[in-house]
């Protein structure tokens, strides 16, 4: 039975609804997902499908959480509270241990620190607590010489950034985000889900790969103490199951800034709309020069953790290079392991958010984002 498509699109965006409907028609019967987009601060796409879901359903957004963390850092840089070319130790002296003292905040945010994890791994309670992660990483010997290479700090970059924020402001990154970003713009994107909102959360469902997909997964080498295993905490006494991480109440409650965000597609798109555009009567959060600096490519080439070509700005993924080449240069965003995607293309004023409930193969931005984001971008440029 074909899933019913709910929601609305603005005039000129009918093709996006058709593309979403065509995708959903070919999906598993238990598909649940949401798609939202803004152009120049105006909501133009607001769609969802799936039994039990609606526009207000909340999903774990995995690494799309990092976009909210980097937005906080960008705001503090814009304010002059943080300086990208200061050494991390100016804010956080203990980080100098084990040869990390020369690293700048710019390099830290660009995944160049070399502390993607710890030798023995983290417990679930530690992964939920950014301060606990930061304390462990301050003493950790880096896995490569800081600043000489880069690799995705998937479970820890939010804690590293968060400790700098806390040392500079006396407030946690989550507190600054709530006060300056989420609450003023009424965003359905939480770093620390309030108990009253728990009934809206949709439990993440693990991936169900086809036999062919499973065969591909089985060919990926991943030794128990490889850099990739360390970065994703698979070597710990309690190995992390990334697929089900949002299902732990402690993760949702504390909202670790690397992977603990809970949001709807409206929340994801709304975050990036607020970053680059006037929304309602509220001014954009970031000045064009700030967006341009954070979207400028800083790390490009072979990612030591992902073992593949990757491109990062200051924290944000360089989305136009990594996944969606039709987007404008300087697009900022971040995908999430479960399949979600979120970004802002400042050149056409587009902000995009997509969520889904079931973990998508092979992880990261789900493949359907290629066609959905392209359809939204075409309509945004044409209108």
């Amino acid at each position: 039975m074909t899933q019913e498509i709910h929601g609305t699109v603005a005039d000129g965006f009918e093709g996006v609804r058709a593309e979403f409907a065509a995708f959903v028609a070919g999906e598993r019967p238990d598909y649940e997902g949401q798609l939202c987009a803004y152009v120049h601060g105006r909501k133009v796409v607001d769609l969802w499908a799936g039994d039990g879901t609606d526009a207000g359903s909340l999903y774990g957004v995995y690494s799309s959480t990092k976009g909210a963390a980097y937005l906080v850092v960008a705001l503090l840089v814009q304010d002059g509270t943080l300086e990208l070319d200061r050494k991390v130790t100016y804010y956080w002296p203990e980080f100098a241990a084990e040869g990390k003292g020369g690293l700048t905040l710019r390099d830290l945010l660009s995944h160049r620190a070399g502390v993607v994890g710890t030798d023995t791994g983290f417990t679930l309670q530690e992964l939920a607590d950014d301060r606990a992660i930061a304390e462990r990483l301050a003493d950790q010997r880096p896995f490569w010489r800081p600043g000489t290479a880069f690799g995705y700090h998937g479970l820890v970059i939010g804690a590293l950034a968060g400790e700098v924020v806390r040392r500079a402001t006396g407030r946690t990154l989550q507190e600054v985000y709530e006060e300056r970003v989420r609450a003023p713009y009424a965003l359905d994107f939480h770093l620390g889900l309030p108990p009253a909102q728990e009934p809206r959360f949709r439990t993440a469902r693990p991936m169900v790969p086809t036999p062919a997909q499973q065969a591909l997964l089985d060919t990926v080498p991943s030794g128990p103490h490889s850099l990739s295993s360390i970065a994703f905490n698979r070597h710990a006494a309690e190995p992390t199951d990334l697929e089900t991480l949002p299902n732990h109440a402690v993760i949702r409650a504390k909202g670790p800034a690397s992977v603990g965000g809970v949001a709807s597609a409206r929340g994801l798109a709304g975050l990036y709309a607020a970053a680059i555009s006037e929304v309602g009567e509220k001014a954009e959060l970031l000045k064009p020069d700030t967006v341009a600096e954070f979207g400028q490519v800083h790390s490009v080439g072979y990612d030591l953790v992902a073992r593949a070509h990757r491109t990062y700005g200051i924290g944000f993924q360089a989305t136009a290079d990594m996944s969606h080449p039709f987007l404008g240069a300087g697009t900022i965003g971040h995908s999430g392991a479960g399949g979600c995607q979120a970004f802002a293309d400042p050149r056409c004023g587009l902000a995009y958010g997509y969520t889904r409930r079931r973990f998508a193969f092979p992880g990261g931005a789900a493949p359907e984002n290629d066609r959905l984001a392209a359809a939204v971008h075409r309509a945004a440029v044409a209108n």
Side-chain angles (χ1 to χ4, degrees), residues 8-260:
T8 60
V9 296
D11 291 345
F13 287 80
E14 295 85 359
V16 177
R17 186 185 186 99
E19 192 68 57
F20 186 59
F23 159 69
V24 171
E27 272 296 283
R28 296 167 49 104
D30 65 352
Y31 170 81
E32 292 181 32
Q34 305 162 323
L35 175 64
C36 184
Y38 288 73
V39 176
H40 298 301
R42 180 175 69 100
K43 190 188 297 179
V44 294
V45 175
D46 189 21
L47 300 172
W48 62 93
D51 291 340
T53 194
D54 58 33
S57 296
L58 298 174
Y59 299 88
V61 295
Y62 301 87
S63 286
S64 287
T65 307
K66 295 177 174 71
Y70 300 140
L71 178 54
V72 169
V73 174
L75 278 171
L76 295 174
V77 169
Q78 184 171 270
D79 291 346
T81 303
L82 296 176
E83 296 181 28
L84 289 169
D85 293 315
R86 281 210 183 262
K87 292 181 179 179
V88 173
T89 53
Y90 175 82
Y91 307 102
W92 180 11
E94 297 88 339
F95 190 72
E98 301 290 350
K100 303 191 295 295
L103 197 77
T104 65
L105 179 58
R106 186 185 299 271
D107 276 343
L108 178 79
L109 295 168
S110 304
H111 295 278
R112 306 184 74 84
V115 282
V116 295
T118 68
D119 292 318
T120 56
F122 300 104
T123 66
L124 177 65
Q125 294 297 320
E126 287 174 324
L127 282 178
D129 185 342
D130 281 347
R131 290 192 65 184
I133 293 173
E135 185 175 350
R136 295 281 307 278
L137 293 178
D139 295 330
Q140 175 64 41
R141 181 187 298 274
F143 290 95
W144 62 83
R145 185 178 176 184
T148 63
F150 74 96
Y152 186 47
H153 289 55
L155 296 182
V156 302
I157 193 68
L160 293 168
E163 188 63 15
V164 173
V165 169
R166 189 180 72 84
R167 298 296 182 105
T169 68
R171 309 283 285 167
T172 68
L173 186 150
Q174 288 83 352
E175 287 170 338
V176 178
Y177 171 74
E178 178 66 22
E179 293 166 6
R180 297 193 59 184
V181 181
R182 199 213 65 78
Y185 289 84
L187 297 176
D188 236 355
F189 187 167
H190 302 270
L191 300 188
L193 186 64
Q197 302 300 321
E198 274 286 342
R200 300 169 59 204
F201 175 72
R202 304 291 286 170
T203 304
R205 288 174 171 166
M207 181 193 308
V208 181
T210 66
Q213 290 171 341
Q214 186 61 54
L216 285 174
L217 291 173
D218 292 342
T219 65
V220 178
S222 184
H225 297 287
S226 68
L227 198 56
S228 178
S229 289
I230 291 168
F232 288 99
N233 209 47
R234 293 192 294 265
H235 69 311
E238 303 171 22
T240 294
D241 179 5
L242 188 61
E243 294 187 26
T244 59
L245 198 58
N247 294 344
H248 295 281
V250 67
I251 296 291
R252 298 194 301 276
K254 292 192 173 184
S258 294
V259 293

